[in-house]
Amino acid sequence: MERIKINDKTIVVVNNEWVLINPTEFIAGQKNNKSIKVIEKPLSEINYESNYEKIIGLNNVAEFNPELGIDYAFVKSIDPKKKIFYMVDGIPSHNFNFVGNYLISRKIKEINNIGINQAIAIWGKREGENGAIQIKTFDKDDVVIPIIIK
């Protein structure tokens, strides 16, 4: 763990689910944890042109507090540079940072990319002119049952 080199162009993914918000602090606290497996993931997992240079996966992390991360599905699917309208759990926004902050510790249930014509039909020309992204998350009380396929 102590040999991991990270910078602002590195994303660190825990158990293939959560992107760490502050990876340096987390890694410093895990230095002596021998059970964690460190792998480098392919940059092709990011579905848009980005400035990321490296994706480091930390697997077998037994105890992880989701308040330290954002769902990887969001980070790898949504381009922060693209001006678009977001509808997240019924909350409208044009601000990527607001959406990112809202999603901290929330597990995503569904992400829908909505084309320009459909977005304009639903939300009007001002909101829908660049299309929209609709994100639904699990309620805090929802039970998420992971399915493990071997």
Side-chain angles (χ1 to χ4, degrees):
M1 289 290 290
E2 64 272 354
R3 290 181 282 138
I4 295 177
K5 300 245 188 287
I6 58 172
N7 59 28
D8 61 345
K9 295 187 177 189
T10 306
I11 60 174
V12 181
V13 183
V14 176
N15 295 337
N16 207 34
E17 289 187 285
W18 299 99
V19 173
L20 285 173
I21 296 167
N22 188 342
T24 308
E25 188 177 308
F26 180 83
I27 289 168
Q30 301 291 324
K31 271 187 185 174
N32 299 321
N33 192 335
K34 304 279 189 242
S35 69
I36 294 178
K37 180 180 176 191
V38 180
I39 59 167
E40 191 156 336
K41 299 166 81 55
L43 284 172
S44 60
E45 286 195 7
I46 304 297
N47 300 332
Y48 53 88
E49 191 175 317
S50 73
N51 294 329
Y52 295 127
E53 293 175 351
K54 195 187 315 185
I55 304 173
I56 294 173
L58 304 181
N59 293 342
N60 304 332
V61 179
E63 291 184 27
F64 179 72
N65 180 355
E67 290 179 11
L68 301 175
I70 299 174
D71 194 323
Y72 188 32
F74 172 73
V75 175
K76 69 182 180 180
S77 304
I78 311 299
D79 184 349
K81 291 179 258 153
K82 188 174 179 184
K83 289 190 182 269
I84 200 157
F85 178 68
Y86 300 95
M87 183 61 75
V88 186
D89 289 339
I91 303 168
S93 179
H94 283 278
N95 187 320
F96 175 85
N97 291 328
F98 168 80
V99 174
N101 287 332
Y102 175 83
L103 290 175
I104 291 171
S105 84
R106 293 181 181 267
K107 207 72 189 113
I108 292 174
K109 187 186 290 189
E110 190 178 342
I111 298 177
N112 295 310
N113 287 298
I114 299 172
I116 294 170
N117 292 339
Q118 190 178 3
I120 289 172
I122 297 169
W123 294 291
K125 185 155 179 62
R126 198 177 109 227
E127 272 75 23
E129 68 182 349
N130 296 318
I133 295 174
Q134 188 175 37
I135 300 172
K136 296 176 186 170
T137 65
F138 288 96
D139 291 335
K140 295 288 184 184
D141 298 333
D142 284 354
V143 176
V144 180
I145 302 172
I147 300 171
I148 299 166
I149 302 171
K150 292 188 178 193

